[in-house]
Amino acid sequence: MEEIYCIGCGAKLQNTDPNEVGYTPKKEISEEQVYCQRCFRLRHYNEIQDVSLTDNDFLALLNTLNKEEALMVNVVDIFDFSGSVIPGLHRFVGDNPVLLVGNKVDLLPKSTNLKKLRNWLMEQAHKEGLRPVEVLLTSSKQKDTIDTLVKTIEKLRLGQDVYVVGTTNVGKSSLINAIIKQQAGLQELITTSRFPGTTLDKIEIPLADGKNIVDTPGIIQRHQMAHLLNPKELKMITPQKEIKPKVYQLQNDQTLFLGGLARFDLETAKKIGVTVYVGNEMTIHRRKTAGSNEFYEEHLGELLTPPLHGKDIPKLVPHSFKITEKSDIVYSGLGFISIKDPCLVTAYAPEGIKVVIRKGII
């Protein structure tokens, strides 16, 4: 029998083991648009089932890329470049050309200088050893950016296949769905969600010349906030529309809590302004730093949400930074805080979650 693959996640379909990837209860598996049970429940009921794939399984697939002759489209989250870049990607892709795509540009404030942002993205890629042939800013919700992406891919691929690569939750599959809709009028062919690791194997979408656009599994980054949260909590932190920046004037020894997931302490004597860029549903609480440890323990999961009541979160650990120029403190997978003035700050995040400083992007 010919092998048939789930059109949503790429897993090989099988009807023998409900605990393995690609399971479908259908007795007869046909080549019509069949989704595995996991994709069906995710698409229709927003339920996610655990899978038996490991991080090594995803990396093994990534290791095959340098054997291909193709255009590599590397999608990163424009809000979280350091958290969504694939370490050592230049080694995986070999000599193949790379188109770098900064996704989710629709979430940025309309006042953002996009030319400056593209230049910044190119600089960051060079620091990671990548030499992209071009940099684009995209959104699956903005037709003009999809048009530009399609034209650029066609220009750069030189008649070859196109591999779309990235970490989990950068929006790869959503971008490909937008391309399919624009090219063929088909809606939401590939399964997408805010849950990490939705795509489980390569998904090949045929092009007119016989080549393919290939959606690859997202490389799992355990230092991103998404891996600590359940579906309802993840929905609370995931921006769905343009972020509304929140500005605070902080005094010495004042603290901001970003729900119960992160904390920001100002430790200089000077009063400064900070701007918080997180999902609009996130609760932010300001208070004096003194007693904040006790306050956190008392109100975690109630006043400070997410997490929701009863959720265990790893202990918050401190990361100290000296601000000398306009900078962003980035909490991987959550958002960032922008600071203009020189100061000393301490950023707290759950143990294992990445917190970095970067030059301000807005």
Side-chain angles (χ1 to χ4, degrees), residues 116-315:
K116 178 182 175 183
L117 189 57
R118 278 194 298 270
N119 291 339
W120 175 86
L121 200 52
M122 180 69 85
E123 290 174 7
Q124 300 306 304
H126 284 183
K127 290 179 181 178
E128 293 290 332
L130 273 180
R131 295 292 183 269
V133 292
E134 199 159 335
V135 172
L136 295 180
L137 301 177
T138 62
S139 164
S140 59
K141 299 176 182 178
Q142 294 180 341
K143 185 179 182 301
D144 58 332
T145 69
I146 297 302
D147 290 343
T148 300
L149 177 60
V150 169
K151 291 175 183 176
T152 304
I153 287 174
E154 195 57 38
K155 178 183 73 173
L156 296 177
R157 75 183 183 92
L158 302 177
Q160 296 180 325
D161 289 331
V162 180
Y163 277 72
V164 185
V165 300
T167 62
T168 55
N169 283 19
V170 296
K172 294 184 298 86
S173 297
S174 294
L175 281 180
I176 293 177
N177 275 334
I179 291 173
I180 295 171
K181 180 181 178 182
Q182 190 243 49
Q183 297 286 290
L186 298 176
Q187 297 271 7
E188 297 297 321
L189 193 65
I190 298 172
T191 302
T192 63
S193 82
R194 63 180 69 89
F195 303 109
T198 302
T199 302
L200 302 180
D201 206 338
K202 292 189 296 185
I203 301 174
E204 296 183 348
I205 300 98
L207 296 167
D209 61 1
K211 297 298 183 179
N212 297 291
I213 292 181
V214 183
D215 185 16
T216 63
I219 304 304
I220 295 176
Q221 300 282 53
R222 298 295 176 186
H223 58 244
Q224 290 186 311
M225 200 72 74
H227 299 286
L228 300 180
L229 306 179
N230 65 34
K232 191 171 182 179
E233 293 163 343
L234 193 53
K235 182 179 180 181
M236 293 173 71
I237 75 164
T238 305
Q240 298 299 315
K241 55 185 178 181
E242 181 184 342
I243 285 178
K244 298 175 182 177
K246 299 175 180 67
V247 180
Y248 296 88
Q249 296 296 323
L250 295 185
Q251 305 279 356
N252 177 35
D253 291 335
Q254 281 193 320
T255 289
L256 290 178
F257 281 103
L258 309 183
L261 299 176
R263 172 177 160 183
F264 177 88
D265 293 1
L266 176 63
E267 300 187 1
T268 53
K270 183 181 178 182
K271 178 180 178 180
I272 65 166
V274 302
T275 307
V276 182
Y277 296 87
V278 293
N280 297 331
E281 292 187 37
M282 276 289 298
T283 58
I284 302 175
H285 187 85
R286 175 168 55 179
R287 58 160 287 122
K288 291 182 178 180
T289 301
S292 286
N293 291 337
E294 295 78 9
F295 179 85
Y296 178 78
E297 293 293 335
E298 181 179 352
H299 295 288
L300 179 64
E302 296 174 357
L303 178 62
L304 302 178
T305 57
L308 299 174
H309 183 69
K311 178 74 175 181
D312 291 327
I313 289 293
K315 178 183 177 182

Side-chain angles (χ1 to χ4, degrees), residues 311-325:
K311 178 74 175 181
D312 291 327
I313 289 293
K315 178 183 177 182
L316 297 187
V317 296
H319 306 261
S320 297
F321 300 98
K322 182 179 181 180
I323 309 298
T324 59
E325 61 178 345

